């Protein structure tokens, strides 16, 4: 296949464009550097204009042009994947040639700076259509291509890509009269990245921290800050015998709760919630859970906690923690143990920071 002067000029133009962009880019360093990456992993789109020099065996030795659209995705710091399509036409006298492609290219980038030279390789499907005085035919065939090019980033979302590729199509089931087609294609595309890169973390400087300000002799105490007193969940097995609401002798957890409440009498409206398992009737379980909540309330009152600050509520078998399907009653009682509990709802204490 003959390579014409105009196609050679186009390839030269791509090379010169790459060299022109490289000069300022080398001083810029890596441009898109999101946190944790040395590249921006966002998808991008690349509409393009194309120049094509088709195989002269198609009957058109003149150059043509067309449009294309690619979608790209950076996969690693050295690899991009681009999927896209092109439409190109060429005329020579009364003969015309049309080419449509749909394929995927792997771009092997040599840099992730503003200027990014790359090698490419890919393939896909190619549709060729020829209209000339002695032949009118069309067909779809697989193709492979290889080439080189460069990208240039204007800012975090806009850029430019120029490349040159040589494609070989493996012609099948057509009247073209040959089984290999060779095309040279030059592409110039505008790049738009959908997401901006994450801002890099600021670089710490090796500077000594400023000295702390002089401390006042009589500094006022800091304002109170909230301290969380988490919800207490007390196992009924620790508090009561099975099917009973009489508290056992020693209750260290209830002693701890009463100590906290007595240290800060401003805490009010503490809910004590009693729960049972699902064994027994609803009415019986409701009464038992209420009695257990009242027993805990009475214990706290005996430890000098004001009764007006406490509210005992029986919840029966509601809000189970576990679900069990054991057949033996002893195993079922053991499995349902977490559901038999008394909860003291979370409260907020105020304390001063030392």
């Amino acid at each position: 296949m003959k390579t014409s002067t105009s196609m050679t000029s186009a390839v030269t133009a791509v090379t010169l464009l790459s060299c022109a962009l490289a000069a300022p880019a080398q001083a810029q360093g890596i441009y898109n550097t999101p946190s944790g990456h040395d590249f921006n992993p966002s998808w991008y789109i690349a509409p393009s204009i194309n120049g094509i020099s088709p195989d002269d065996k198609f009957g058109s030795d003149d150059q043509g042009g067309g449009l294309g659209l690619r979608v790209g995705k950076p996969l690693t710091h050295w690899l991009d994947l681009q999927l896209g399509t092109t439409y190109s036409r060429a005329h020579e006298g009364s003969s015309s040639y049309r080419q449509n492609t749909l394929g995927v290219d792997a771009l092997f980038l040599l840099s992730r700076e503003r200027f990014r030279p790359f090698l490419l390789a890919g393939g896909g499907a190619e549709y060729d259509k020829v209209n000339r005085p002695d032949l009118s035919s069309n067909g779809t065939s697989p193709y492979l291509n290889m080439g080189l090019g460069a990208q240039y980033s204007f800012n975090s979302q806009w850029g430019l890509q120029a490349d040159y590729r040589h494609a070989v199509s493996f012609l099948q089931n057509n009247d073209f009269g040959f089984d290999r087609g060779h095309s040279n294609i030059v592409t110039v595309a505008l790049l738009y990245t959908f997401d901006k890169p994450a801002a890099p973390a600021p670089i710490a400087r090796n500077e000594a921290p400023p000295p702390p300000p002089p401390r006042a002799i009589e500094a006022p105490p800091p304002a109170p800050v909230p301290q969380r007193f988490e919800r207490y969940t007390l196992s009924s097995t620790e508090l009561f015998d099975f099917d009973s609401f009489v508290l056992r002798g020693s209750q260290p957890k209830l002693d701890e709760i009463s100590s906290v409440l007595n240290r800060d009498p401003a805490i009010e409206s503490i809910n004590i919630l009693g729960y049972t398992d699902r064994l027994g009737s609803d009415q019986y379980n409701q009464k038992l859970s209420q009695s257990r909540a009242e027993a805990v309330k009475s214990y706290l009152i005996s430890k000098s906690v004001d009764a007006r600050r406490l509210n005992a509520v029986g919840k029966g078998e509601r809000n189970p923690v576990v679900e069990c399907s054991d057949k033996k009653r002893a195993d079922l009682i053991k499995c349902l143990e977490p559901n038999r509990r008394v909860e003291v709802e979370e409260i907020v204490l105020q304390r001063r920071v030392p």
Side-chain angles (χ1 to χ4, degrees):
M1 185 184 75
K2 297 182 287 185
T3 303
S4 69
T5 303
S6 58
M7 179 54 67
T8 302
S9 299
V11 175
T12 304
V14 171
T15 305
L16 292 176
L17 176 61
S18 299
C19 294
L21 296 176
Q26 290 174 352
Q28 297 292 334
I30 295 176
Y31 188 75
N32 295 329
T33 311
S35 177
H37 296 276
D38 57 357
F39 64 97
N40 185 354
S42 172
W43 288 88
Y44 60 87
I45 192 170
S48 66
I49 55 174
N50 311 320
I52 184 172
S53 177
D55 197 313
D56 57 5
K57 290 188 291 239
F58 284 117
S60 177
D61 194 26
D62 201 3
Q63 280 66 54
L67 301 174
L69 180 64
R70 291 185 176 275
V71 176
K73 178 73 168 72
L75 300 181
T76 70
H77 72 280
W78 55 268
L79 178 63
D80 277 20
L81 205 63
Q82 292 186 352
L83 172 68
T85 182
T86 63
Y87 171 81
S88 303
R89 297 191 66 179
H91 294 272
E92 185 177 10
S94 59
S95 299
S96 65
Y97 169 73
R98 191 182 98 185
Q99 181 190 91
N100 296 72
T101 65
L102 178 64
V104 62
D105 292 324
L107 275 60
F108 303 93
L109 289 98
L110 307 181
S111 170
R112 281 289 180 182
E113 299 179 352
R114 276 186 183 270
F115 177 70
R116 305 164 190 163
F118 62 81
L119 303 176
L120 69 86
E126 174 180 316
Y127 173 78
D128 301 289
K129 183 175 182 179
V130 171
N131 282 312
R132 62 181 195 237
D134 62 327
L135 177 67
S136 178
S137 182
N138 61 77
T140 301
S141 309
Y143 77 88
L144 296 175
N145 64 198
M146 297 183 66
L148 53 87
Q151 295 178 348
Y152 180 78
S153 175
F154 297 113
N155 54 43
S156 61
Q157 289 188 284
W158 292 97
L160 191 67
Q161 175 175 311
D163 60 69
Y164 164 78
R165 65 190 69 202
H166 179 77
V168 180
S169 53
F170 302 88
L171 304 174
Q172 302 171 352
N173 303 324
N174 56 69
D175 301 323
F176 297 140
F178 56 99
D179 59 4
R180 293 288 186 275
H182 298 264
S183 300
N184 294 314
I185 303 168
V186 172
T187 299
V188 177
L190 184 66
L191 303 179
Y192 175 74
T193 302
F194 291 107
D195 296 325
K196 292 184 178 181
I203 301 175
R205 297 182 179 180
N206 295 325
E207 297 178 358
R215 188 172 180 180
I217 298 176
E218 295 293 337
V225 295
Q227 175 192 15
R228 299 296 299 176
F229 176 70
E230 300 296 339
R231 177 192 297 263
Y232 269 89
T233 300
L234 309 173
S235 170
S236 291
T237 304
E238 297 175 344
L239 299 175
F240 312 99
D241 291 328
F242 181 72
D243 202 26
S244 170
F245 58 86
V246 178
L247 283 169
R248 293 177 175 177
S250 177
Q251 295 296 334
K253 289 186 178 180
L254 294 181
D255 292 340
E256 180 183 356
I257 294 175
S258 63
S259 177
V260 171
L261 297 179
N262 286 327
R263 283 200 301 268
D264 195 338
I267 304 171
E268 298 181 350
S269 300
I270 298 103
N271 290 323
I272 302 169
L273 310 178
Y275 292 92
T276 68
D277 58 28
R278 60 180 173 80
L279 301 178
S281 66
D282 293 345
Q283 182 178 2
Y284 179 81
N285 287 337
Q286 177 63 37
K287 181 179 179 181
L288 178 60
S289 66
Q290 182 67 41
S291 298
R292 287 178 169 178
E294 294 286 354
V296 171
K297 176 181 177 180
S298 298
Y299 186 91
L300 295 177
I301 293 172
S302 72
K303 296 296 181 177
S304 302
V305 179
D306 191 341
R308 292 172 296 181
R309 302 166 63 192
L310 305 174
N311 181 31
V313 180
K315 292 288 188 177
E317 60 190 66
R318 284 174 284 181
N319 304 328
V321 178
V322 296
E323 297 289 345
C324 302
S325 58
D326 299 76
K327 301 301 182 182
K328 295 182 178 180
R329 180 174 178 82
D331 294 339
L332 183 59
I333 291 174
K334 179 64 177 176
C335 178
L336 292 173
E337 183 176 310
N339 294 341
R340 302 188 293 273
R341 66 197 189 276
V342 175
E343 293 182 352
V344 179
E345 286 192 334
E346 62 181 1
I347 57 180
V348 177
L349 306 178
Q350 296 288 331
R351 67 179 180 87
R352 293 187 181 277
V353 178

